[in-house]
Amino acid sequence: MDKQYLLAPGPTPVPPEILQRMAEPVIHHRAPVYEKILAEVREGLKYLFQTKNEVLIFASSGTGAMEGTVTNTLSAGDKAIVVEGGKFGERWTDICKAYGVKAQVMPVEWGQAIDPALIAKALQTDPSFKAVFTQATETSTGVLYPIKEIAEIVSRYPGTIMVVDGISHLGAAELPMDGWKLDVVVAGSQKAIMLPPGLSFAALSDKAWEFAGKSTLPKYYFDFKKELKNVVKNQSAYTPAVSMVLGLAESLRGIRKEGLQTIFARHAKLAKATREAMLAIGLKLYAPRAYSDAVTAVLAPPGVDAEKVVKVLRDKHNLTIAGGQDQAKGKIFRIAHMGYVDKFDILMAVAAVEMTLKELGYAVEIGKGVRAAMEVLI
Ligand SMILES: Cc1ncc(COP(=O)(O)O)c(C=O)c1O
């Protein structure tokens, strides 16, 4: 039997204790036994999001919570700023367009981070923007955006909310919702939360809830106000993904046990080891400055197709990472170190990349990257 390794930026590996919990017999959601679990989950989510407010749970991929954020906080004709430096920035723009929200795109060169001064200038020129939409980590480029700085600027505008897609970030690196004055944080189960795909999350600040009170865009399943009324009673408006919620309870228990700061330090170390390893074998980072601790994007060496690197890793070595999307296709490959990942996963991934590059004709000194990673991890 072939052993498979998963180091893609979602889905990510799921710990056995979570899989086991999800395999328990299905319980009924309108019963005290479920409500007790949801009460525990609510506290765990508040810890993870670092917020006093409720975190809503939906049975959807992350995009569902993104869409719900637009439809619950805005109205047709509203204007919003969208930071667009990759595939997922584009998604905010697409959702805005689908609902008649006027998105003013703030283009960012792929591989670079947004300069917060640009947001400050845009809001100064026109304070009527209702929202600023951004990612924390833009997964398609491996870039970390300066969320704290942007949020500080947005917080000075009472008519504007700061919306953060933390899907590839929350649980891997700092994103303290209340501490940084973030108005909406969206997350997905299949990243650092260490669950299979299928749940999305949205947390709103008091300011964002005020926006929700005025929003007139159409909504039904993703009706945040309706969901809030239910979640405070340890319930949900519709049938929840019961088994996933059981897994979530287990995941949040693990997260609280390890502690957020320890988790962030682990991710930072794994990310550094990955970067050092890639540099040691002569490769360049796609995001050389503003790199994320959740995913590392690496430029394939000249003459080597990054798609081939991904394919050989998958087909020959049973290791799944991700390639580039759109303009980065064929140029980069992305190694995730998000969630249930430890030092030996990184050493294995680096070793596999070295072997693959050698097989593809790149002159790599075998073991050099592994050694550099070990120096960081030891
Ligand atoms: C930053 C970011 N935003 C949004 C999404 C979309 O999430 P989903 O595929 O769960 O809908 C992803 C998925 O990879 C992501 O990484």
Side-chain angles (χ1 to χ4, degrees):
M1 205 199 279
D2 288 336
K3 188 162 182 175
Q4 299 291 330
Y5 304 94
L6 183 60
L7 282 163
T12 63
V14 179
E17 52 271 40
I18 294 181
L19 291 171
Q20 235 165 15
R21 188 83 196 269
M22 289 183 15
E24 283 180 9
V26 173
I27 54 171
H28 198 273
H29 59 293
R30 307 289 183 209
V33 61
Y34 178 81
E35 289 172 358
K36 197 163 167 249
I37 292 164
L38 201 62
E40 180 192 330
V41 161
R42 282 170 58 204
E43 287 314 305
L45 285 172
K46 286 178 189 169
Y47 173 76
L48 174 64
F49 280 68
Q50 300 187 60
T51 182
K52 66 174 175 44
N53 284 358
E54 292 295 334
V55 180
L56 308 178
I57 309 170
F58 298 98
S60 78
S61 80
T63 304
M66 291 173 79
E67 177 166 342
T69 297
V70 172
T71 59
N72 280 270
T73 56
L74 301 180
S75 302
D78 280 352
K79 293 198 295 185
I81 294 172
V82 181
V83 175
E84 208 184 272
K87 233 14 231 168
F88 297 105
E90 288 170 12
R91 188 151 310 174
W92 280 130
T93 309
D94 291 346
I95 298 170
C96 284
K97 280 189 184 151
Y99 284 98
V101 170
K102 292 179 192 143
Q104 175 156 323
V105 172
M106 206 151 270
V108 184
E109 192 186 329
W110 282 39
Q112 306 292 323
I114 174 90
D115 177 359
L118 293 174
I119 307 273
K121 198 164 165 230
L123 283 172
Q124 223 167 29
T125 314
D126 182 359
S128 74
F129 288 109
K130 288 278 167 58
V132 174
F133 290 101
T134 182
Q135 273 59 47
T137 285
E138 172 51 80
T139 326
S140 60
T141 59
V143 167
L144 170 75
Y145 286 144
I147 297 302
K148 188 180 178 197
E149 290 77 5
I150 302 172
E152 188 56 48
I153 295 161
V154 176
S155 72
R156 290 182 222 137
Y157 293 83
T160 315
I161 50 169
M162 170 74 184
V163 180
V164 183
D165 163 2
I167 292 173
S168 261
H169 186 103
L170 190 89
E174 269 296 8
L175 196 67
M177 181 162 176
D178 295 355
W180 285 2
K181 300 180 230 169
L182 312 178
D183 295 308
V184 184
V185 174
V186 169
S189 54
Q190 77 277 24
K191 309 270 184 166
I193 300 177
M194 304 176 289
L195 287 173
L199 292 183
S200 69
F201 309 91
L204 277 70
S205 69
D206 295 340
K207 184 176 172 186
W209 278 117
E210 278 175 30
F211 277 53
K214 294 181 196 140
S215 153
T216 58
L217 280 174
K219 46 205 153 261
Y220 195 83
Y221 176 76
F222 293 102
D223 184 333
F224 286 9
K225 280 193 286 180
K226 197 193 293 172
E227 213 51 63
L228 178 66
K229 271 191 203 145
N230 279 277
V231 82
V232 294
K233 292 185 275 179
N234 298 319
Q235 272 300 338
S236 52
Y238 311 106
T239 312
V242 172
S243 302
M244 289 286 289
V245 173
L246 289 183
L248 176 61
E250 201 59 40
S251 153
L252 292 168
R253 236 178 240 183
I255 288 171
R256 290 184 90 159
K257 194 165 162 222
E258 190 177 352
L260 284 181
Q261 293 312 317
T262 313
I263 292 174
F264 299 157
R266 169 167 57 85
H267 281 82
K269 205 166 186 180
L270 298 177
K272 185 167 194 292
T274 309
R275 291 192 301 270
E276 295 293 327
M278 294 299 113
L279 294 171
I281 56 173
L283 304 187
K284 291 197 171 90
L285 303 175
Y286 192 53
R289 282 175 295 278
Y291 36 72
S292 157
D293 283 344
V295 55
T296 297
V298 185
L299 279 160
V304 174
D305 179 358
E307 287 299 290
K308 270 220 175 113
V309 176
V310 176
K311 191 170 169 2
V312 171
L313 277 168
R314 187 192 59 212
D315 297 347
K316 189 162 176 204
H317 302 297
N318 300 321
L319 191 141
T320 301
I321 60 165
Q325 295 163 285
D326 290 353
Q327 57 174 278
K329 201 174 173 72
K331 286 192 203 157
I332 65 168
F333 57 88
R334 294 173 294 148
I335 303 169
H337 21 74
M338 204 184 322
Y340 187 54
V341 178
D342 81 354
K343 53 186 179 290
F344 294 108
D345 293 315
I346 296 304
L347 294 178
M348 182 182 65
V350 172
V353 167
E354 288 186 4
M355 287 160 75
T356 299
L357 288 174
K358 188 146 186 120
E359 283 154 10
L360 290 172
Y362 175 65
V364 55
E365 190 188 316
I366 284 292
K368 208 171 171 191
V370 172
R371 189 190 174 98
M374 284 176 81
E375 300 279 3
V376 175
L377 295 168
I378 213 153

